[in-house]
Amino acid sequence: MRRFAERMRGVQHSATIELSDQIKTMRKDGREIISLAAARPDFDTPRVVKEAAVDALRLGAQYTEYTESRGLPELREVVADKLSRENDLQVDPDRELLITVGAREAIFCALQVLVDQGDEVLVFDPSWLSYRWAIRLSGGLPVGVPLRQEADFHPDPEEMLSLASDDVRVLVLNSPNNPTGAVFTPAEMQQIARIARERDWVIITDEIYEDFLYGDHQHVSPAALQGMKDRTVTCNSCSKGWAMTGWRVGYAAGPADIIDRMLAVHQHLVSSPCAFAQKGAVAAFTHAREAVFDMVDSYRRRRQLLLEGLGGYPRVEFVPPEGACFFFLRFPGAQINSEQLSRHFLQQCGLAMTPGAAFGEYGEGYLRLSFAGVDEGMIPEVLDRLKRGTEQLQ
Amino acid sequence: MVSERLKAVTPSVTLAINSRVQELEAEGKDIVKFGVGEPDYPTPEHIKEAARKAIAQDKTRYTPAAGIPQLREAVVEKFSEENNLHYKVSQVMVSVGAKQAIYNSLMALVNPGDEVIVIAPYWVSYPEQVKLAGGVPVVVQTTEDTNFKVTPEALRDAISPRTRALILNTPNNPTGIVYSSEELAALGQVMLEHDIWAICDDIYESLVYDKALHTSLPTACPDMFARSIVINGVSKAYAMTGWRIGYAGGPEEIISAMSSCQGHATSNPTSVSQWAALAALQGPKGEVREMVQDYGQRRDYMAERLQNIAGFEFTKPRGAFYLFPNVSELIGRSINGTKVTDVEVLAKILLEEAHVALVPGSGFGAPENLRFSYSAAMDRIEEGMDRLQQALD
Ligand SMILES: Cc1ncc(COP(=O)(O)O)c(C=O)c1O
Ligand SMILES: Cc1ncc(COP(=O)(O)O)c(C=O)c1O
């Protein structure tokens, strides 16, 4: 047996990807599958963004060469503007901002610079599974803080405190939340911030779903709260808002000393994100903000149709999503685990949903239904199949 | 607040120079750039066309973390045809530059405290990447005496029970040297004896002159195939540095571990760049050949000019796009009233006074050398050499 680095032990290819491979195979066999698995928008990248990228290619070598490793100055400028206008966060684009290969790289670099071998890192459970692996890859140990359905998947700061050993220095936070759809309230954010200040923690906040809000839920950037700017790394990207997942442009905003160290990791990891993709991102921030809101409107309608269809249907339990693009579903009375549930719906009714266990221990028993990739017109069919599959569980 | 691992990591010197150059340019200064190892060629038009097509067709979504299957197949074919290395698709992957491919290799191979042998002068990122992976870089110094090549004896001496891998870069940055097939076979034998992995950075493969031939280590030493990760990319060969596409071939288990690491660090490289890289690997090579011929002429010109300026000692290397003269004679002298205490000061003086950007060898583990990149256009090379001559006469 070949000897690999210990850190790679158990690092898995994401469950979402395995599922998508399975879908591909079934489709090849002629099965008609509706995928509710991917958190990837079904929209196309806005035209102005595409045009800006094409223009950049024409402009010559400047946008086909390595860019400044921090990212194009014009992109940092518009990101800083956006943070100031929308998140109440003032950052110096030359010192407190780093352009990254998606939010993923932002989170990865932040963990690399903040976590030492054996350090405990707090992460909500359930949550996006890459957090846990990125923590492992930094040598840290993820410690799960439960988000429970009884509390509408909102955090319990007291419980968080009770789970945190004295060594904890970092908390990873994601609101609006993948996979539960919860949006932490301003009061909850304040409480978490207070604890972070008292315990001297750094918060890594993943705000990739910040635009996806329903009802009167509000997004709060913890970095904007009093005394928090100096202990918060805010991570975000163009992926979800502008349907730019494949372009790989994101950013991290944080205190200059942390960003400076993240820059060192980033320089030895990737040098810089794709040059003309950064130019496309400039156009996204400058000219395509409305495109995001159009997309959110469409998500809102999908959510509403699903709510109406599932409301009053007793065999499926869920908390109406407050943000992001997910329903986190439970099937009371079902005697099988989330992986088996996922297989059941895929095989019996051609519906692909991600097993909740992929998001942590507390996700067991659930399926994540993503409405990012399903057209409004398909939703009656989704509901039909979902109910049919649920009946078969009894 | 910062982790121990990171305290040990220094930012890239090359990139630091680049930043200072950009500052000076922003002030309106005209800088001759011999600093950064970047082709001054535009990306060939048919490659850009493939990118435009991918954008028009909305190929702008996440791809598999290891790359689109079409590109992985093209990489398999490239390795097979050009390097006589035969991989399956599951044994290759695509990354955000060769840089990330090397990072992934180290993350997949190295346990905390494992040693990785790095040959000095080295590319600045190697030791830092080893440290980021929790490993200990063990530097084997080479000098002009062995033409900056590591000998089998020197390699054997550097190996300890904790040695996990060797990073080998040919054609070499910063020295420009190219290892022969025989030299590689001899190094491979030592690695086989000690069960050490080879991480082969072949990024400058297509840039060789005077009929030099690039050979990949496992090509020269087939028994090393199962213990080698071969890394390459489109940055240098196709003037595509900003597109960020590199690739790696190796045993399936290691590629699979590398791909999960990448999945959590960045996921796939830019989708549009992947389609463009496919066009690069499969398309006509005419422009690339012309580019290499051009580089050859620039190399000859720069070498000749430099040989006529006192204080630059070197033999003309046969690969990459670098000259790496020894400048120890200049250290201790004064230029424009400033005393040259070391190569870093020398590089600084030449940047600030002569507006010529060079990289001090100290960052590469060679404190007596300066790196000249001849990837700049011919008229810029003339201008730069004029300025140097003036500043140093
Ligand atoms: C919560 C969360 N964070 C980050 C990401 C990755 O984003 P990016 O494409 O910007 O790397 C995702 C993607 O699915 C996500 O769900
Ligand atoms: C020796 C060496 N390896 C790798 C690279 C990185 O290439 P890429 O642009 O593919 O990341 C460079 C770039 O300067 C290099 O000099």
Side-chain angles (χ1 to χ4, degrees):
Chain A
M1 181 57 199
R2 212 183 283 285
R3 188 169 65 98
F4 288 123
E6 282 298 319
R7 78 169 66 76
M8 296 311 300
R9 179 173 299 171
V11 173
Q12 277 153 24
H13 298 278
S14 89
T16 357
I17 290 169
E18 313 247 291
L19 190 59
S20 86
D21 286 347
Q22 221 173 322
I23 297 170
K24 269 191 209 124
T25 319
M26 289 179 71
R27 281 183 177 152
K28 237 181 235 157
D29 296 344
R31 287 290 302 273
E32 186 256 326
I33 310 288
I34 303 177
S35 177
L36 306 164
R40 179 191 84 183
D42 56 346
F43 293 87
D44 292 329
T45 302
R47 192 146 92 213
V48 280
V49 175
K50 298 200 286 185
E51 283 171 358
V54 170
D55 280 348
L57 288 176
R58 199 174 29 238
L59 283 172
Q62 192 183 353
Y63 300 112
T64 55
E65 288 175 357
Y66 298 119
T67 68
E68 228 178 289
S69 56
R70 257 179 213 285
L72 285 176
E74 60 261 46
L75 179 53
R76 281 182 278 128
E77 209 59 60
V78 294
V79 171
D81 272 359
K82 181 261 174 211
L83 288 170
S84 160
R85 236 182 6 250
E86 300 182 3
N87 303 79
D88 204 11
L89 187 58
Q90 316 306 322
V91 303
D92 175 349
D94 294 327
R95 296 171 60 244
E96 298 171 327
L97 202 53
L98 176 68
I99 305 299
T100 56
V101 179
R104 224 177 273 249
E105 200 219 343
I107 298 159
F108 183 82
C109 289
L111 288 164
Q112 286 287 320
V113 310
L114 293 168
V115 178
D116 266 318
Q117 197 68 32
D119 278 0
E120 291 184 354
V121 178
L122 293 181
V123 57
F124 287 100
D125 180 354
S127 66
W128 189 47
L129 83 166
S130 265
Y131 300 141
R132 247 153 291 162
W133 292 117
I135 292 166
R136 291 257 162 82
L137 288 171
S138 71
L141 303 169
V143 174
V145 179
L147 295 174
R148 294 192 168 85
Q149 189 180 335
E150 303 88 271
D152 292 348
F153 298 114
H154 279 247
D156 175 351
E158 291 308 316
E159 185 175 18
M160 178 173 80
L161 257 183
S162 74
L163 288 165
S165 75
D166 288 343
D167 305 331
V168 166
R169 295 186 308 155
V170 177
L171 163 71
V172 180
L173 188 85
N174 170 225
S175 169
N177 184 264
N178 174 8
T180 65
V183 177
F184 296 4
T185 65
E188 286 159 355
M189 282 294 193
Q190 288 285 5
Q191 274 178 296
I192 292 171
R194 183 176 46 74
I195 293 170
R197 284 192 304 268
E198 282 168 12
R199 301 289 292 266
D200 196 18
W201 294 346
V202 174
I203 293 183
I204 299 174
T205 161
D206 174 359
E207 308 191 355
I208 190 157
Y209 294 107
E210 67 173 343
D211 292 323
F212 299 84
L213 298 168
Y214 312 109
D216 51 7
H217 295 281
Q218 290 172 45
H219 171 69
V220 178
S221 288
L225 301 176
Q226 206 197 348
M228 290 305 291
K229 191 187 158 190
D230 203 38
R231 56 176 68 259
T232 306
V233 182
T234 305
C235 305
N236 206 332
S237 84
C238 300
S239 287
K240 307 289 167 161
W242 287 287
M244 287 177 67
T245 52
W247 297 81
R248 313 308 303 126
V249 182
Y251 58 87
D257 61 337
I258 296 183
I259 293 294
D260 179 64
R261 297 279 69 199
M262 287 174 64
L263 174 65
V265 178
H266 170 80
Q267 287 180 347
H268 297 302
L269 173 63
V270 297
S271 294
S272 52
C274 174
F276 60 87
Q278 293 186 60
K279 201 63 184 166
V282 173
F285 283 98
T286 330
H287 301 302
R289 206 64 187 105
E290 295 69 41
V292 180
F293 302 120
D294 292 346
M295 205 179 309
V296 175
D297 273 341
S298 158
Y299 279 23
R300 190 173 288 122
R301 290 194 296 274
R302 297 175 191 180
R303 170 185 174 275
Q304 193 56 35
L305 289 172
L306 286 162
L307 267 185
E308 285 164 10
L310 291 174
Y313 181 67
R315 292 185 171 166
V316 178
E317 275 181 15
F318 60 92
V319 178
E322 301 164 346
C325 49
F326 312 108
F327 280 76
F328 208 46
L329 305 174
R330 199 161 74 163
F331 304 85
Q335 300 298 313
I336 53 179
N337 70 21
S338 67
E339 215 159 293
Q340 294 162 321
L341 280 168
S342 170
R343 206 168 314 129
H344 166 80
F345 281 98
L346 183 60
Q347 274 158 9
Q348 300 306 313
C349 33
L351 277 188
M353 292 181 280
T354 314
F359 303 97
E361 207 180 312
Y362 284 81
E364 185 52 276
Y366 293 85
L367 287 179
R368 187 192 72 175
L369 181 163
S370 162
F371 51 91
V374 4
D375 193 68
E376 245 175 277
M378 287 300 288
I379 289 185
E381 175 70 17
V382 167
L383 287 164
D384 234 37
R385 292 191 191 189
L386 189 62
K387 289 181 183 172
R388 189 150 40 85
T390 309
E391 308 293 326
Q392 289 166 354
L393 284 171
Q394 312 303 317
Chain B
M1 203 186 259
V2 165
S3 68
E4 290 301 324
R5 179 173 349 97
L6 254 292
K7 282 187 190 138
V9 172
T10 51
S12 151
V13 183
T14 335
L15 294 171
I17 298 261
N18 195 21
S19 292
R20 178 67 188 138
V21 168
Q22 273 161 352
E23 275 171 32
L24 287 168
E25 285 182 330
E27 293 166 18
K29 305 272 168 25
D30 169 53
I31 308 294
V32 175
K33 285 176 269 188
F34 296 153
V36 175
E38 256 193 291
D40 82 313
Y41 285 87
T43 306
E45 200 46 45
H46 71 277
I47 297 173
K48 290 191 191 176
E49 184 51 36
R52 283 191 286 268
K53 204 166 135 205
I55 293 172
Q57 294 176 342
D58 292 303
K59 290 174 173 169
T60 57
R61 300 193 163 87
Y62 288 133
T63 76
I68 53 174
Q70 292 87 337
L71 181 54
R72 292 173 77 184
E73 274 159 29
V75 166
V76 166
E77 199 145 307
K78 187 268 166 213
F79 276 132
S80 164
E81 279 179 13
E82 297 182 9
N83 308 95
N84 199 24
L85 296 171
H86 306 288
Y87 295 110
K88 292 185 288 196
V89 170
S90 55
Q91 294 175 315
V92 303
M93 67 178 288
V94 183
S95 300
V96 181
K99 192 174 256 185
Q100 189 181 25
I102 301 164
Y103 179 86
N104 289 336
S105 312
L106 292 162
M107 289 294 278
L109 284 174
V110 174
N111 275 314
D114 280 356
E115 295 174 358
V116 177
I117 296 177
V118 173
I119 298 156
Y122 44 72
W123 184 44
V124 287
S125 274
Y126 297 148
E128 308 305 325
Q129 289 183 318
V130 171
K131 288 185 246 170
L132 280 172
V136 180
V138 171
V139 174
V140 177
Q141 192 70 43
T142 67
T143 62
E144 284 90 350
D145 295 342
T146 59
N147 199 12
F148 290 121
K149 289 176 182 171
V150 67
T151 60
E153 299 71 44
L155 175 59
R156 196 173 278 119
D157 286 347
I159 292 172
S160 86
R162 292 232 59 174
T163 306
R164 185 77 171 123
L166 162 74
I167 306 180
L168 193 77
N169 173 219
T170 177
N172 187 268
N173 175 8
T175 65
I177 55 109
V178 182
Y179 282 84
S180 72
S181 183
E182 295 71 35
E183 287 162 342
L184 292 170
L187 294 174
Q189 280 311 317
V190 178
M191 284 185 258
L192 278 174
E193 277 165 35
H194 295 272
D195 193 17
I196 288 169
W197 282 78
I199 298 173
C200 310
D201 179 353
D202 291 1
I203 189 84
Y204 291 100
E205 137 170 87
S206 56
L207 307 184
V208 286
Y209 319 98
D210 297 345
K211 307 209 169 62
L213 273 184
H214 164 76
T215 313
S216 201
L217 182 123
T219 309
C221 182
D223 288 344
M224 277 297 288
F225 184 72
R227 284 195 190 78
S228 296
I229 304 169
V230 179
I231 287 162
N232 210 322
V234 297
S235 281
K236 315 284 169 174
Y238 301 95
M240 290 178 72
T241 52
W243 299 69
R244 309 310 301 123
I245 299 291
Y247 51 86
E252 184 164 339
E253 296 152 280
I254 210 98
I255 290 293
S256 161
M258 287 167 62
S259 139
S260 359
C261 173
Q262 176 166 306
H264 299 299
T266 59
S267 78
N268 62 275
T270 300
S271 56
V272 174
S273 300
Q274 293 188 57
W275 291 102
L278 178 62
L281 290 183
Q282 294 184 333
K285 304 282 186 276
E287 278 179 81
V288 177
R289 270 195 292 271
E290 274 171 40
M291 182 173 85
V292 177
Q293 271 174 10
D294 259 17
Y295 283 148
Q297 285 165 12
R298 297 174 191 187
R299 177 189 69 130
D300 293 342
Y301 176 80
M302 186 188 257
E304 196 183 309
R305 290 290 304 268
L306 204 55
Q307 265 149 3
N308 290 320
I309 305 177
F312 294 89
E313 292 300 321
F314 63 99
T315 43
K316 197 159 91 179
R318 298 166 75 197
F321 37 51
Y322 304 109
L323 301 181
F324 200 58
N326 186 303
V327 293
S328 48
E329 273 182 40
L330 296 175
I331 294 168
R333 274 185 28 188
S334 281
I335 299 173
N336 276 356
T338 313
K339 185 156 162 121
V340 180
T341 45
D342 56 35
V343 278
E344 289 185 23
V345 173
L346 179 59
K348 205 160 160 212
I349 295 173
L350 294 175
L351 177 58
E352 303 292 337
E353 303 287 328
H355 291 167
V356 175
L358 295 160
V359 187
S362 46
F364 307 109
E368 296 188 339
N369 300 67
L370 269 186
R371 191 187 73 177
F372 285 68
S373 166
Y374 50 85
S375 65
M378 196 56 140
D379 56 333
R380 300 302 287 165
I381 296 181
E382 287 172 27
E383 171 69 24
M385 299 316 285
D386 290 347
R387 290 186 193 179
L388 279 184
Q389 192 139 32
Q390 212 166 19
L392 291 166
D393 270 354

